[in-house]
Amino acid sequence: MPVDPARAPADPTALIDDLNSRIVRSLGAHDPAELHAAAARTGIDVGETYAGRLWTGGVCPLVQRYATGGAFMAALTNSSPDALNAAIEVLAAVAPTAAMSFALEVMRIDLDGFTFGHNRVPFELVMRGRAEKIIKREPSSAPPEILLDMLRRRSLAPGEIPKGKIAGIPIAALIACVSAGELRFDQAESAGLFSGHPALREGAGLLDALLRTRWFAATDGHDGGLAQWLAHRLAAAGHTPAVPALRELFTRQRLFLPTAGENLLEIGTPEALEAAASPLSPEGVPINEYDRLHRQAIAIDALLRAGPSRAFDVLAPLFEERVLRCGGMRSESARTVLEKLSPAQATAEPRWIERCLRAAQDRELGATARVLLDRLDPGLVDEAAARVEKRRRRAGAARSTVKPPAGHLLERYRAGEHERVWEELLALDRSPPKALAAQAEAVAVETMERVRCGLEAVVERLRAEAYPFHEKARALVPPPRDALRHVERLERLTGGRLPLSLRAFYLVVGSVDLSGSAEGFRHDPKKHGMKPKRDEIVNVPEKYPFMYLSHFDPLVVLPLEEAVAEAETWARGERQGVGMSAPLDLTISPGPSFKANPRDAQPEPVDTVRLPGPFADVEIRRGRGGAIPFVEHLRSCLAWGGFPDLAGTSIRPQAVLDALAQSVRPF
């Protein structure tokens, strides 16, 4: 099919040849001596060597190649490439207006996609470079489309565009240049180009520009800085129609998340705060394992600003004992709430003061809670403390009237009522009837037999996976032959019978120590697979070596002999009056850094039990915050293969945990 000559693209070579002939005619109207003087004055350079129409090699001054103006005009008449190359700049030195007109014509010639030669700078492109230099000296004479083209080619900086010309450049074209990487956005220079654009003086224009950025539609692009700048301008202007777009960025764009969340907080309308609080909901508050992007911190701040009462309804579960007793990363969300809670907000919702009083007793949150309490009205704090104490006494009275357990406890336990039976045992007095005490002791023994079987399965699997025990011989040690004598000795020293759960553990299980030490370990990608990226959910046995499991709070219950030795030291100090006071906080387990790698441990609180304790079960006071009944602590540990902090991370040996779950009988 023949090509329509009227619609066929023009040949750049023919167009530039025509321009060259017209430029030569314009130069002919001037005296050759004047041309030579202008070339010497402006220092115009030309190429040293030429091949056909293509220029190569270095450069030299024009006046050195042509000693006189007449020689230069003769070269132009003979179409010498180097003379033609410099012609438009010589004309600019003697007739700037005419040269600018020609330069604009050169810039309108479409050279994109036109092939000139191989590995040589084409003459036509050299002429375009000369034209750009002329326009750059007087950009106010160029139309906006020429200036935009020079921006795209980076021959013109954003700060060199006259303010009067900015309005003529379409904002969509500018954003497209930034998105494609043809124009770099930076606060120092490019922001002036955008801030001076009339299309971005109103919130509607800013929002339209934000929606045009690639950053809003994709996870990559060069316009991330521009998108953040637009979002900040929208927030500063309080443009409420931008809330849906900012919410989209807050929930979908990970790298944009902190900026979008802060912008929503800055707008501050109920709709904006609701959008910023979207990661949290009354139906389920996520437990923070590592809030690297501050999503939860922003959501907590938004909830508190929206109203302290509603915030309490949503965030109160973060302060429940089942969350705080795990400590570590899982209590960071509660700490964030206390840090962001202002005295005015706490005063407006008295329940927050009661939560602060409870958190003040926690080892990990106590310091933060006490700082907030010190900033509150002492009278309000005293009133809240009185309410808490009144409820505590009422609950204690209710527990004292609890009916004794019904039915045979051991039979019910074996029938599957494990947790229910232990709940009823926790409500018993220290001196229940002998028949009931015998049943309770049988339940404790049955429980610890199941715990021992579960621990045997865990230790066997860890040994098979080459888990680096700190001391293999201490992994699971049965009770000594004279365990009962040691238990009775411990009871005499502490002045009371041990709780049934701890007593049965010492007599049936013995001791367990899953602490590890991966010193000398080197990650081998061929053997262990590639290390996971941040936030990547992986199956530990396949891609993550077992060497790292000791960092997830391995189960440790120190041997009975060490407990007796500590009690003897404590009792000796009591007799000598050196400051040790009853009751005894017996160390049951070292701190987390010791269990992760004993040779590199840091000074930290340990896990203790207070003796003498209750009749049935004793609480472990976790070194990282909170307390948990001993039996429930063992349940949590065995549910996660001996490493309970795996519950707070996505990096977990799920296949191994599933296998262990089948070998651990419920207790």
Side-chain angles (χ1 to χ4, degrees):
M1 182 175 181
V3 179
D4 185 358
R7 297 186 178 182
D11 183 353
T13 303
L15 294 175
I16 289 183
D17 284 344
D18 177 65
L19 275 172
N20 275 329
S21 62
R22 291 163 55 196
I23 292 171
V24 171
R25 286 197 298 272
S26 298
L27 286 171
H30 297 271
D31 183 79
E34 180 186 2
L35 299 179
H36 191 266
R41 184 173 63 251
T42 57
I44 299 171
D45 294 329
V46 295
E48 290 182 336
T49 59
Y50 293 88
R53 293 179 54 81
L54 303 177
W55 169 80
T56 61
V59 294
C60 69
L62 178 70
V63 293
Q64 289 184 10
R65 180 168 291 277
Y66 304 105
T68 64
F72 174 64
M73 289 302 300
L76 285 176
T77 304
N78 295 326
S79 299
S80 173
D82 56 347
L84 291 173
N85 175 31
I88 190 171
E89 279 201 81
V90 175
L91 181 63
V94 295
T97 303
M100 175 64 72
S101 176
F102 285 124
L104 294 177
E105 288 190 54
V106 172
M107 294 301 298
R108 290 190 176 95
I109 297 176
D110 185 12
L111 300 181
D112 291 341
F114 192 83
T115 303
F116 295 97
H118 182 65
N119 289 335
R120 290 186 296 181
V121 178
F123 171 74
E124 285 79 359
L125 292 183
V126 173
M127 188 172 184
R128 166 168 278 186
R130 302 281 188 181
E132 288 178 345
K133 292 169 78 174
I134 294 171
I135 296 173
K136 192 172 181 179
R137 287 198 289 265
E138 191 61 38
S140 59
S141 302
E145 62 271 15
I146 298 297
L147 298 177
L148 177 63
D149 186 60
M150 293 179 67
L151 275 176
R152 290 177 56 245
R153 301 179 185 281
R154 300 190 181 183
S155 58
L156 190 68
E160 295 175 318
I161 296 182
K163 292 184 178 180
K165 294 290 183 178
I166 293 177
I169 304 177
I171 191 65
L174 285 174
I175 293 175
C177 290
V178 178
S179 299
E182 297 170 338
L183 174 61
R184 180 175 176 269
F185 180 86
D186 58 81
Q187 296 286 349
E189 190 172 11
S190 304
L193 177 63
F194 286 88
S195 61
H197 204 290
L200 300 181
R201 291 175 184 169
E202 300 293 335
L206 291 167
L207 178 58
D208 178 70
L210 176 62
L211 296 176
R212 289 179 181 274
T213 60
R214 284 186 59 191
W215 197 259
F216 189 80
T219 57
D220 56 356
H222 300 275
D223 51 13
L226 173 60
Q228 294 196 29
W229 181 83
L230 290 169
H232 281 307
R233 292 287 296 271
L234 283 167
H239 190 61
T240 55
V243 169
L246 292 174
R247 177 171 186 163
E248 181 75 7
L249 289 171
F250 181 55
T251 56
R252 188 163 56 86
Q253 286 285 12
R254 295 182 62 81
L255 296 179
F256 202 92
L257 187 153
T259 299
E262 292 167 3
N263 296 149
L264 289 170
L265 293 176
E266 189 173 355
I267 291 176
T269 62
E271 183 186 7
L273 294 177
E274 183 69 26
S278 56
L280 301 177
S281 66
E283 290 75 22
V285 179
I287 299 300
N288 175 12
E289 65 174 84
Y290 182 42
D291 193 8
R292 181 171 59 89
L293 299 174
H294 308 293
R295 178 185 282 109
Q296 220 174 97
I298 292 172
I300 289 171
D301 200 352
L303 276 173
L304 291 172
R305 294 189 190 188
S309 296
R310 179 173 178 270
F312 184 87
D313 295 335
V314 177
L315 300 174
L318 293 174
F319 292 85
E320 292 181 358
E321 187 177 354
R322 63 182 178 83
V323 177
L324 297 181
R325 67 191 174 207
C326 296
M329 294 181 295
R330 293 171 67 89
S331 63
E332 284 301 316
S333 296
R335 185 196 306 278
T336 302
V337 174
L338 295 177
E339 291 173 346
K340 293 188 174 295
L341 186 64
S342 68
Q345 292 166 341
T347 302
E349 176 49 72
R351 292 181 294 174
W352 276 122
I353 304 179
E354 297 177 13
R355 290 289 174 173
C356 290
L357 288 170
R358 179 187 299 180
Q361 306 302 318
D362 184 84
R363 289 189 177 182
E364 188 164 335
L365 302 180
T368 307
R370 288 190 289 271
V371 168
L372 178 59
L373 290 172
D374 290 341
R375 298 167 61 193
L376 298 176
D377 183 356
L380 295 176
V381 175
D382 292 341
E383 291 176 6
R387 291 194 300 271
V388 172
E389 179 63 20
K390 184 177 180 180
R391 283 198 296 271
R392 188 187 68 79
R393 291 178 179 176
R394 189 181 303 163
R399 282 195 300 270
S400 64
T401 59
V402 172
K403 296 181 180 179
H408 197 282
L409 292 178
L410 184 58
E411 293 178 357
R412 290 174 54 203
Y413 183 85
R414 289 174 175 171
E417 297 184 46
H418 311 109
E419 296 186 13
R420 178 60 182 166
V421 167
W422 272 104
E423 289 176 1
E424 294 177 359
L425 290 179
L426 289 173
L428 293 177
D429 295 332
R430 288 193 57 85
S431 302
K434 287 187 177 181
L436 192 58
Q439 293 182 38
E441 188 171 356
V443 169
V445 171
E446 176 75 14
T447 299
M448 294 308 159
E449 287 178 350
R450 299 187 181 203
V451 170
R452 183 190 62 199
C453 294
L455 289 174
E456 289 173 351
V458 168
V459 171
E460 182 180 356
R461 182 58 185 260
L462 291 176
R463 285 174 175 166
E465 297 287 349
Y467 173 76
F469 289 100
H470 176 55
E471 292 186 32
K472 281 188 178 182
R474 289 172 59 99
L476 184 60
V477 181
R481 293 183 179 180
D482 55 350
L484 182 58
R485 181 174 64 83
H486 285 300
V487 167
E488 292 173 347
R489 171 65 174 164
L490 183 58
E491 290 174 339
R492 287 194 299 271
L493 290 170
T494 57
R497 186 179 174 89
L498 291 180
L500 293 180
S501 58
L502 187 61
R503 196 175 201 272
F505 186 91
Y506 283 141
L507 294 176
V508 177
V509 180
S511 66
V512 59
D513 188 348
L514 302 184
S515 59
S517 177
E519 289 188 352
F521 169 76
R522 294 293 180 271
H523 185 92
D524 183 359
K526 294 182 180 179
K527 181 178 179 182
H528 304 123
M530 297 301 294
K531 286 186 178 181
K533 299 177 182 178
R534 283 187 175 181
D535 303 323
E536 180 184 7
I537 299 177
V538 298
N539 191 330
V540 177
E542 295 176 3
K543 295 184 67 176
Y544 209 63
F546 265 69
M547 305 299 170
Y548 299 102
L549 284 183
S550 62
H551 295 276
F552 294 100
D553 193 18
L555 172 62
V556 174
V557 180
L558 296 176
L560 176 58
E561 295 88 343
E562 295 185 19
V564 173
E566 182 178 349
E568 289 176 343
T569 302
W570 169 80
R572 191 180 308 114
E574 278 285 289
R575 291 192 297 269
Q576 295 174 357
V578 295
M580 307 181 81
S581 59
L584 165 64
D585 286 332
L586 178 69
T587 302
I588 201 76
S589 174
S593 70
F594 184 93
K595 292 189 283 187
N597 189 348
R599 296 178 181 175
D600 193 27
Q602 304 296 323
E604 59 187 341
V606 297
D607 297 347
T608 61
V609 294
R610 180 158 290 184
L611 300 178
F615 169 72
D617 200 6
V618 65
E619 284 190 337
I620 293 184
R621 299 176 182 272
R622 305 307 311 277
R624 290 170 294 167
I628 181 174
F630 184 53
V631 173
E632 189 172 343
H633 172 62
L634 295 175
R635 284 197 191 106
S636 175
C637 290
L638 285 177
W640 295 101
F643 305 90
D645 269 8
L646 287 173
T649 179
S650 59
I651 302 173
R652 60 179 61 152
Q654 195 59 53
V656 175
L657 293 175
D658 293 342
L660 288 174
Q662 299 177 0
S663 59
V664 176
R665 296 173 62 192
F667 60 90

